[in-house]
């Protein structure tokens, strides 16, 4: 290869060297930006098969070439004198930085590399930041993290800054950031604009990384980055940035089902947004507060807050925030057993998600719709939306949200009698729930595994899963403790141990007699059915009352469904509903 390079004309050799600085793939206009005469040599080196013209270029109006071999590219690059490389890299960087059009953003990282090799750290940091933001928006997680690390390294910060931090991170970061504004040793103060620009660039970098870490469920690292963001917001004395940092903490609380913390942080964010006099921020905080209030048991108040926010978002034309409030109202409708209303709201929402090109929110909406179809017994449409939601969720790399369609697909496969596949879905959800530190999802996944193991006749494994679900649910104070208790009752009944089954049922009955409800449980009718079946097997007179309550609730829900076909699927295609109906028909006393 070296001999072939030595054999070309001097002008061709120079053009090859300049092209090698651009990269293994290069463009005629980029080459011309380095040397206007260099493109004249391209036909000759192409004829010698040193470079190969490509049929399709990455940009309109340019010709794209590639070196014939990676080794040829490296050998040629190594022949460029170090003292002239920087100038070539600088010219290539400026050409890439000037690009516009649909694909220009895909080359921000390459522009940053050229600026870095040209010795222009400031421009390199700016372009690495833009590249990280672009990668974040495309859900290219590893690329985003890589660009952030490169920029922070150029800024004199270690790749892991903010990652392995403890509770003192915020104070340490604030001190470090404030140091930028202190007078230098010679007594001359650093210009304020320069310090603010540096802090805002760091904000943008950590903002991109925190969002990416959040989707990956890397909570420890995510929290550390938020601590630094909070410190930077204080240094910049910016209420909008203070709000954003609070919003991120609120989002972690939501994804970890810590609704008490979520409410407190949402109220802090709301106060910051109001102080900043920014209505879109106020509405975002209000949406999070509505969810927290609802999840803590007051869905009437949460719904009212969401309805008011929805009206304002629509009046201001804030489509993304409109979608967020629709999500609250859909969840509220579902939890209040108005499944048709939940579907109508989600159908509105998914159109907005698609209009905005937001696959992250579209995946969540499809998952919610699939769950509602499942609750109605329409398994064809449930499978369609759940599988598409799972595909989109995996496509954007949202690990925490992946649990939702997986858990619903578990239930779907159990109803179809495919217990092995149901167990596979449940175990996948469990792995993710533990990874992203969501105890609510972990409890649900353990309980779902218990149901699958029970269906497979593996009683020891089922017992272990139900018991683990119960322990996690009690620790997290979630309703899954009732679902898992009912699972243990069903398991004991399957084993013929009526006494143990009765112990579980007594706990469930005591819960209700003490003023508790089954609201928020995964399978309220399955819980009622389990209680009835155990009581009936034990010859307990309360069996009839439990059955009457289960049937009355079931019939009331069915009567509220206006669509006749859905009403029938709700009554006949959901196993526990069908069993309650059959038991009622066998037990009711003729008039």
């Amino acid at each position: 290869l070296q001999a072939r390079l030595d054999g070309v004309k001097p002008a061709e050799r120079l053009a090859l060297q300049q092209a090698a600085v651009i990269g293994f793939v290069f463009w005629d206009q980029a080459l011309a930006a380095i040397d206007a005469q260099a493109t004249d040599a391209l036909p000759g080196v192409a004829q010698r098969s040193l470079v190969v013209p490509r049929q399709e270029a990455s940009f309109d109006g340019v010709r794209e070439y590639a070196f014939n071999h990676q080794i040829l590219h490296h050998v040629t690059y190594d022949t460029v004198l170090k003292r002239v490389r920087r100038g070539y890299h600088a010219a290539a960087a400026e050409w890439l930085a000037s690009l516009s059009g649909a694909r220009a953003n895909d080359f921000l990282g390459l522009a940053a590399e050229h600026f870095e090799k040209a010795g222009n750290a400031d421009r390199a940091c700016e372009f690495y930041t833009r590249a990280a933001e672009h990668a974040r928006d495309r859900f290219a997680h590893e690329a985003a993290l890589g660009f952030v690390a490169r920029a922070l390294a150029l800024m004199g910060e270690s790749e892991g800054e903010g990652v392995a931090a403890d509770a003192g991170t915020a104070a340490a970061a604030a001190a470090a950031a404030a140091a930028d504004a202190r007078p230098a040793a010679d007594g001359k103060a650093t210009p304020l604009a320069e310090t603010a620009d540096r802090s805002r660039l760091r904000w943008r970098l950590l903002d991109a990384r925190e969002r990416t870490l959040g989707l990956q469920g890397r909570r420890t690292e995510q929290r550390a980055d938020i601590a630094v963001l909070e410190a930077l917001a204080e240094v910049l004395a910016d209420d909008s940035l203070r709000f954003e940092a609070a919003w991120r903490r609120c989002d972690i609380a939501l994804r970890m089902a810590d609704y008490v913390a979520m409410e407190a942080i949402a109220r802090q964010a709301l106060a910051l947004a109001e102080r900043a006099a920014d209505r879109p921020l106020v509405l975002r905080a209000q949406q999070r507060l509505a969810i927290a209030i609802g999840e803590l048991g007051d869905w009437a108040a949460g719904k009212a807050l969401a309805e008011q926010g929805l009206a304002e978002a629509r009046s201001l034309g804030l489509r993304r925030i409109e979608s967020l409030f629709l999500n609250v109202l859909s969840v509220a409708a579902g939890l209040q057993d108005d499944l048709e209303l939940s579907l109508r709201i989600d159908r509105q929402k998914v159109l907005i998600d698609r209009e905005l090109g937001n696959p992250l929110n579209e995946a969540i909406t499809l998952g919610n719709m699939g769950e509602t179809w499942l609750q109605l017994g329409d398994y064809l449409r449930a499978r369609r939306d759940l599988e598409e939601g799972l595909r989109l969720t995996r496509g954007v790399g949202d690990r925490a949200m992946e649990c939702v369609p997986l858990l619903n697909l578990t239930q779907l496969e159990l109803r179809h009698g495919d217990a092995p596949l149901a167990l596979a879905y449940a175990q996948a959800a469990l792995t993710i729930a533990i990874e992203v530190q969501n105890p609510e999802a972990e409890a649900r996944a353990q309980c779902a595994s218990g149901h699958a193991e029970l269906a497979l006749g593996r009683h020891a494994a089922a017992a272990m899963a139900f018991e683990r679900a119960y322990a996690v649910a009690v620790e997290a104070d979630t309703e899954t403790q009732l679902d898992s208790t009912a699972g243990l009752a069903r398991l004991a009944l399957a084993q013929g141990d009526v006494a143990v089954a009765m112990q579980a049922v007594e706990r469930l009955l005591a819960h209700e007699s003490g003023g508790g409800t089954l609201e928020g449980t995964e399978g309220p009718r399955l819980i009622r059915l389990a209680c009835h079946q155990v009581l009936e097997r034990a010859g307990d007179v309360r069996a009839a009352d439990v059955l009457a309550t289960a049937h009355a609730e079931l019939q009331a829900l069915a009567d509220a469904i206006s669509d006749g076909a859905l009403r029938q699927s709700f009554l006949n295609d959901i196993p526990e509903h069908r069993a309650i109906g059959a038991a009622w028909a066998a037990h009711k006393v003729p008039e």
Side-chain angles (χ1 to χ4, degrees):
L1 290 174
Q2 186 65 58
R4 290 181 66 190
L5 286 175
D6 291 341
V8 301
K9 299 175 182 177
E12 293 176 341
R13 178 184 174 87
L14 179 60
L16 281 173
Q17 290 174 319
Q18 292 164 336
V21 170
I22 298 170
F24 174 74
V25 175
F26 64 95
W27 304 272
D28 59 350
Q29 289 186 16
L31 186 59
I34 294 175
D35 182 348
Q37 306 301 316
T39 55
D40 295 340
L42 287 176
V45 293
Q47 188 174 7
R48 294 172 182 269
S49 297
L50 295 170
V51 300
V52 180
R54 291 190 164 186
Q55 294 298 317
E56 295 184 4
S58 302
F59 313 105
D60 293 334
V62 302
R63 295 218 49 197
E64 185 170 295
Y65 295 83
F67 278 81
N68 195 36
H69 197 281
Q70 288 279 4
I71 297 177
L72 174 62
H73 169 246
H74 289 309
V75 168
T76 307
Y77 183 82
D78 287 341
T79 65
V80 183
L81 295 175
K82 291 183 179 180
R83 62 185 173 81
V84 298
R85 281 183 193 171
R86 282 194 171 192
Y88 292 169
H89 279 298
E94 292 295 348
W95 181 80
L96 287 162
S98 71
L99 292 173
S100 60
R103 292 202 58 198
N105 285 340
D106 294 340
F107 292 85
L108 292 168
L110 183 58
E113 288 181 21
H114 281 292
F115 278 124
E116 181 179 358
K117 290 174 180 177
N120 191 337
D122 288 343
R123 293 273 275 167
C125 284
E126 172 60 29
F127 274 82
Y128 277 132
T129 302
R130 290 171 59 186
E133 291 168 336
H134 179 58
R136 173 203 64 199
D137 293 342
R138 293 186 296 113
F139 308 105
H141 300 325
E142 294 310 312
L145 295 177
F147 289 136
V148 171
R150 296 280 290 274
L152 290 177
L154 281 175
M155 295 172 76
E157 300 169 16
S158 66
E159 179 179 344
E161 178 169 343
V163 172
D166 56 19
T169 299
D180 288 341
R182 292 176 186 157
D186 59 4
K188 296 180 180 179
T190 302
L192 180 61
E194 180 183 342
T195 301
D197 286 347
R198 175 183 169 85
S199 294
R200 289 192 181 277
L201 195 65
R202 289 184 68 213
W203 172 279
R204 289 170 58 193
L205 286 164
L206 294 176
D207 170 88
R209 186 165 72 183
E210 186 277 335
R211 289 174 188 252
T212 300
L213 294 171
L215 288 176
Q216 294 180 319
R218 294 160 64 175
R219 302 300 179 213
T220 301
E221 298 158 278
Q222 186 186 7
R223 285 195 185 94
D225 274 356
I226 293 174
V228 182
L229 289 172
E230 288 170 333
L232 289 169
E234 292 304 319
V235 168
L236 293 165
D238 189 322
D239 280 336
S240 296
L241 297 184
R242 291 183 178 112
F243 168 88
E244 287 295 340
W247 170 268
R248 306 305 171 77
R249 288 209 181 275
C250 196
D251 194 59
I252 290 180
L254 170 62
R255 286 172 172 257
M256 296 181 67
D258 187 351
Y259 302 117
V260 173
M262 183 182 176
E263 181 189 9
I265 300 168
R267 292 191 186 279
Q268 293 172 14
L270 183 59
L272 289 167
E274 288 173 339
R275 195 164 75 187
D278 189 317
R279 290 311 299 172
L281 296 189
V282 168
L283 290 172
R284 285 172 58 193
Q286 186 172 324
Q287 187 263 354
R288 285 293 191 255
L289 183 59
I291 294 175
I293 290 172
E295 292 288 359
L296 288 172
D298 193 350
W299 274 109
K303 181 180 177 182
L305 199 60
E307 287 174 339
Q308 183 274 323
L310 177 63
E312 184 174 353
R314 283 174 169 168
S315 71
L316 296 174
L318 302 172
R319 296 287 274 168
R320 181 176 177 275
I321 296 177
E322 178 183 353
S323 171
L324 293 176
F325 279 115
L326 286 172
N327 175 255
V328 181
L329 294 172
S330 170
V331 172
L335 290 173
Q336 294 174 330
D337 294 316
D338 193 340
L339 301 179
E340 287 181 299
L341 176 59
S342 180
L343 278 175
R344 287 197 298 273
I345 294 171
D346 279 333
R347 282 169 171 161
Q348 295 176 51
K349 184 180 183 305
V350 78
L351 293 177
I352 297 174
D353 297 336
R354 288 168 178 165
E355 170 195 323
L356 298 177
N358 190 332
L360 186 65
N361 283 354
E362 182 184 349
I364 294 171
T365 308
L366 287 170
N368 291 342
M369 290 175 69
E371 183 173 353
T372 305
W373 289 122
L374 184 64
Q375 292 172 330
L376 286 165
D378 190 328
Y379 300 138
L380 185 64
R381 285 188 275 196
R383 184 180 299 280
R384 177 198 65 193
D385 287 345
L386 289 172
E387 289 181 347
E388 178 62 10
L390 180 61
R391 184 189 68 80
L392 284 175
T393 300
R394 286 174 169 168
V396 300
D398 190 347
R399 293 290 282 166
M401 289 283 82
E402 196 175 332
C403 288
V404 177
L406 285 171
L407 287 170
N408 284 303
L409 285 166
T410 299
Q411 192 174 132
L412 178 64
E413 297 305 338
L414 279 173
R415 291 181 183 178
H416 278 164
D418 192 340
L421 182 55
L423 182 60
Y425 280 133
Q427 290 296 305
L430 178 60
T431 298
I432 295 169
I434 294 171
E435 175 189 322
V436 302
Q437 303 175 43
N438 186 332
E440 181 181 63
E442 181 184 349
R444 289 182 60 197
Q446 288 281 14
C447 194
S449 296
H451 288 303
E453 296 285 14
L454 179 57
L456 288 166
R458 302 202 299 230
H459 292 170
M464 187 179 299
F466 284 133
E467 287 166 1
R468 179 58 184 162
Y470 181 80
V472 173
V474 169
E475 178 69 22
D477 192 24
T478 75
E479 292 81 359
T480 303
Q481 58 190 283
L482 302 175
D483 292 292
S484 54
T485 299
L488 288 168
R490 293 178 62 232
L491 171 61
L493 195 61
Q495 293 173 314
D497 194 336
V498 178
V500 171
M502 278 295 295
Q503 290 174 8
V505 167
E506 292 291 1
R507 293 205 304 269
L508 293 169
L509 296 177
H511 168 76
E512 288 204 275
S513 64
T517 70
L518 300 184
E519 183 178 329
T521 58
E522 189 77 10
R525 261 72 64 193
L526 185 58
I527 294 173
R528 294 248 189 251
L529 178 64
C531 288
H532 163 70
Q533 290 173 334
V534 171
L535 289 168
E536 185 176 52
R537 179 79 67 86
D540 194 305
V541 295
R542 293 173 294 176
D545 290 339
V546 170
L547 178 60
T549 299
H551 182 264
E553 288 179 352
L554 178 62
Q555 199 58 54
L557 292 170
D559 290 343
I561 300 172
S562 62
D563 185 294
L566 287 178
R567 190 185 314 114
Q568 288 306 307
S569 66
F570 178 78
L571 287 171
N572 301 321
D573 295 339
I574 297 175
E576 58 264 34
H577 294 183
R578 187 168 60 247
I580 289 171
W584 179 252
H587 281 79
K588 67 179 180 178
V589 179
E591 297 180 2

